Amino acid sequence: METRGPRIIVALDYPEAGSAEAFVRTLDASLCRLKVGKELFTAAGPKFVEGLVRQGFDVFLDLKFHDIPNTVAQACKSTARLGVWMLNVHALGGRGMLSAAREAVDSIAGPRPHLIAVTLLTSMTAEDLVDLGIEGGVEDSVSRLAALSARCGLDGVVCSAQEASRLRAERGGQFLLVTPGIRLAGEGAQDQKRVTTARDAIEMGASYLVMGRSITRAKEPNAVLRATIQAIASAGSA
């Protein structure tokens, strides 16, 4: 699946619409896409998302649906109707839920958003999997969940950059790999465990990069975006 347009997705991790809108007004829509997660969506609602779309931004609505198949299917339909570019579900919801989500998105008239699955959250470690009774370690678990998502017709998965090389080899060039936990060189891991730089992530096989505070807290976010774009442009798989 060809990755056209900006490869950086800026996470709008704000508690309410006003501060998010003020930040968005500083952005050049040609440089990035935007991600709206649970906190902001709960505070600002669907109209906020539709407003971003009207401003020319591609929006990844990151709500990680995980419920019975029919409930997830209806939620995916409602999300697709907002005009978003991408939405996601949890791969741990299983085959029936993933297939129902795929069918729901395919049933929407007009442009079809990308449908991807969360494998394991980038905050999770091998110890967390033991606590949950999941065997095989992080990489093997991510690989199994990505394979299940592919069999159910999803366009790709969310994964850490550390898993991207293996998934790219296993799933081929058309499978989308969306990688959070992207930091500028020299930045700390913050609240995620499996992190890397933008250039390294692209070289590992990532399709799109999710960046949050590195951009949203920058004095000149467009300058940071341009520098990051330049860095990944020279990566081997860019």
Side-chain angles (χ1 to χ4, degrees):
M1 186 169 294
E2 187 176 355
T3 51
R4 298 178 180 178
R7 300 180 75 170
I8 299 171
I9 304 171
V10 177
L12 298 180
D13 294 328
Y14 291 93
E16 42 79 32
S19 54
E21 289 170 345
F23 170 72
V24 169
R25 285 195 292 271
T26 71
L27 289 179
D28 181 342
S30 70
L31 299 177
C32 64
R33 293 174 158 107
L34 300 177
K35 182 175 83 70
V36 175
K38 290 184 177 72
E39 180 183 21
L40 182 55
F41 186 77
T42 300
K47 289 185 178 180
F48 175 78
V49 174
E50 291 175 320
L52 296 177
V53 173
R54 285 195 298 271
Q55 292 176 62
F57 287 96
D58 287 338
V59 177
F60 170 22
L61 190 53
D62 177 24
L63 300 183
K64 302 180 180 71
F65 296 127
H66 188 174
D67 211 310
I68 63 173
N70 183 65
T71 297
V72 168
Q74 298 308 314
C76 287
K77 286 182 181 179
S78 295
T79 301
R81 293 189 185 109
L82 297 177
V84 301
W85 163 74
M86 181 180 284
L87 67 145
N88 63 357
V89 298
H90 261 292
L92 287 169
R95 183 187 303 273
M97 191 205 78
L98 294 172
S99 298
R102 172 77 281 161
E103 293 170 6
V105 171
D106 287 344
S107 72
I108 298 297
R112 182 178 67 81
H114 294 307
L115 175 64
I116 63 174
V118 175
T119 52
L120 296 177
L121 301 174
T122 54
S123 62
M124 297 186 74
T125 65
E127 290 76 16
D128 295 316
L129 298 187
V130 172
D131 290 341
L132 295 171
I134 298 176
E135 299 180 353
V138 170
E139 288 195 0
D140 287 346
S141 297
V142 168
S143 180
R144 289 196 302 270
L145 291 168
L148 173 62
S149 300
R151 289 195 298 272
C152 293
L154 274 67
D155 300 310
V157 295
V158 179
C159 66
S160 80
Q162 283 79 5
E163 292 112 33
S165 295
R166 175 173 174 174
L167 294 183
R168 182 59 68 211
E170 292 175 347
R171 306 263 62 87
Q174 298 301 305
F175 198 67
L176 296 181
L177 302 179
V178 179
T179 58
I182 303 300
R183 299 286 183 264
L184 300 177
E187 281 189 315
Q190 297 168 2
D191 56 355
Q192 294 176 317
K193 304 292 176 61
R194 308 195 309 280
V195 301
T196 192
T197 66
R199 178 188 170 91
D200 287 346
I202 292 296
E203 291 184 336
M204 292 174 185
S207 307
Y208 296 104
L209 314 176
V210 178
M211 302 183 70
R213 282 162 279 192
S214 302
I215 307 296
T216 59
R217 294 185 180 179
K219 292 183 178 179
E220 298 183 12
N222 289 323
V224 176
L225 285 167
R226 291 189 181 96
T228 305
I229 291 168
Q230 184 175 5
I232 65 178
S234 58
S237 60

